Amino acid sequence: MPSWLQTIETCPSTNRIALDRAPDLNHGDAIFTRNQTAGRGQRNRVWHSPAGVMTVSFVVQELQPEQRPLLSLSAGLAIIKTIETLIPELTTVPALKWPNDVLIYDRKVSGVLCEMRSSLPTTVVIGIGLNLTATFEKSVLDSGANPISLHEVAATVPDDLTMLKCLRQCLLRQVGQLDSRTDFQAVIQQVRSRDALYGQSIQFERPNGQRIFGIGRGIHSSGGLLIEGTDGQITTHHSGRVILGK
């Protein structure tokens, strides 16, 4: 097993363990489990983790405040590149749903949750759930979550360790690009090229519950979502939830 990888048989949340152990972990270290029992998504929503979901949390260090708004999207790009590297028949298929999901054929295959400890302001834990061979219960499918697993669309799905090694390499490369202004702009362009919401009719729910109806108009250079409202005005949003369809 690689020195950077800590495997836990079962745990409530790999993010929680990574946050607790962060002072003793190095840049690029990871906590991995095949059985996460209390996973969380954005805004404390449930992250369904049946058998066959790869759940891992990576520690990244020395991040500057201006890098953080693009971190979830950068992690999404790393997931996409991992899928395309190891499953070439899916090249150009995965897309990003702002702010933290990866979609395949408009269904969620992966999600990202970035968290930090106030005592470690330049260290962030990037939690990733990737559906490899999971079979989801009908109640989950009917809930609107609409997940998909790679085994449904790929002839062969690589094993956990192969996926983890490639994902770590892609993730650290993407995070490294946020250091350079030139590379930062390249990341923005990559994100925009994979934007699943561009031109789509969406509902946007603000943190206060207010909903906006409009059309997705891309990703701002700050990492925010651009929405064209019914009045034709384009506004930028950095926090909230996207619901596809009117």
Side-chain angles (χ1 to χ4, degrees):
M1 200 65 68
S3 61
W4 51 265
L5 182 62
Q6 297 184 22
T7 299
I8 298 173
E9 183 175 344
T10 183
C11 71
S13 165
T14 57
N15 260 30
R16 179 50 49 198
I17 291 176
L19 286 167
D20 289 343
R21 297 182 183 178
D24 301 314
L25 296 174
N26 298 313
H27 181 70
D29 283 355
I31 305 294
F32 164 67
T33 186
R34 292 185 177 88
N35 185 29
Q36 179 170 267
T37 59
R40 294 170 295 117
Q42 291 285 333
R43 305 176 70 79
N44 285 321
R45 292 185 176 88
V46 174
W47 172 258
H48 299 283
S49 303
V53 176
M54 187 182 81
T55 307
V56 60
S57 297
F58 292 95
V59 173
V60 294
Q61 297 175 335
E62 303 304 324
L63 282 174
Q64 302 306 310
E66 61 270 18
Q67 295 173 294
R68 292 177 199 148
L70 272 180
L71 198 55
S72 290
L73 293 169
S74 292
L77 287 174
I79 295 164
I80 287 173
K81 291 179 181 180
T82 299
I83 292 171
E84 294 182 337
T85 297
L86 298 177
I87 310 176
E89 65 263 37
L90 292 180
T91 298
T92 75
V93 174
L96 290 171
K97 179 189 173 206
W98 185 95
N100 66 317
D101 290 342
V102 176
L103 307 183
I104 286 181
Y105 302 127
D106 297 324
R107 296 171 63 189
K108 182 175 177 176
V109 72
S110 184
V112 177
L113 178 63
C114 296
E115 296 184 286
M116 60 183 290
R117 285 176 48 167
S118 58
S119 59
L120 300 168
T122 66
T123 298
V124 178
V125 168
I126 302 176
I128 294 172
L130 177 58
N131 304 336
L132 303 183
T133 59
T135 299
F136 293 91
E137 297 177 2
K138 188 175 185 299
S139 59
V140 174
L141 297 173
D142 290 345
S143 70
N146 201 23
I148 190 171
S149 286
L150 290 177
H151 77 95
E152 298 177 60
V153 291
T156 303
V157 178
D159 62 84
D160 289 332
L161 186 55
T162 300
M163 295 292 291
L164 285 167
K165 287 179 177 177
C166 187
L167 178 57
R168 178 178 183 268
Q169 183 179 50
C170 292
L171 179 63
L172 294 182
R173 185 182 303 122
Q174 287 295 146
V175 171
Q177 287 185 317
L178 298 178
D179 284 335
S180 158
R181 184 173 182 82
T182 300
D183 289 342
F184 188 93
Q185 293 305 313
V187 171
I188 292 287
Q189 293 306 315
Q190 292 172 47
V191 167
R192 289 171 175 165
S193 72
R194 296 292 188 149
D195 182 9
L197 301 179
Y198 188 84
Q200 298 292 315
S201 295
I202 61 175
Q203 297 179 46
F204 183 82
E205 185 179 78
R206 288 175 165 168
N208 63 5
Q210 179 188 12
R211 290 196 176 186
I212 299 170
F213 294 81
I215 306 293
R217 289 303 181 202
I219 307 298
H220 190 270
S221 59
S222 64
L225 178 66
L226 298 171
I227 300 176
E228 180 181 346
T230 54
D231 59 359
Q233 297 296 309
I234 296 177
T235 53
T236 305
H237 303 269
H238 293 93
S239 180
R241 180 170 73 109
V242 171
I243 304 169
L244 291 173
K246 290 185 177 180

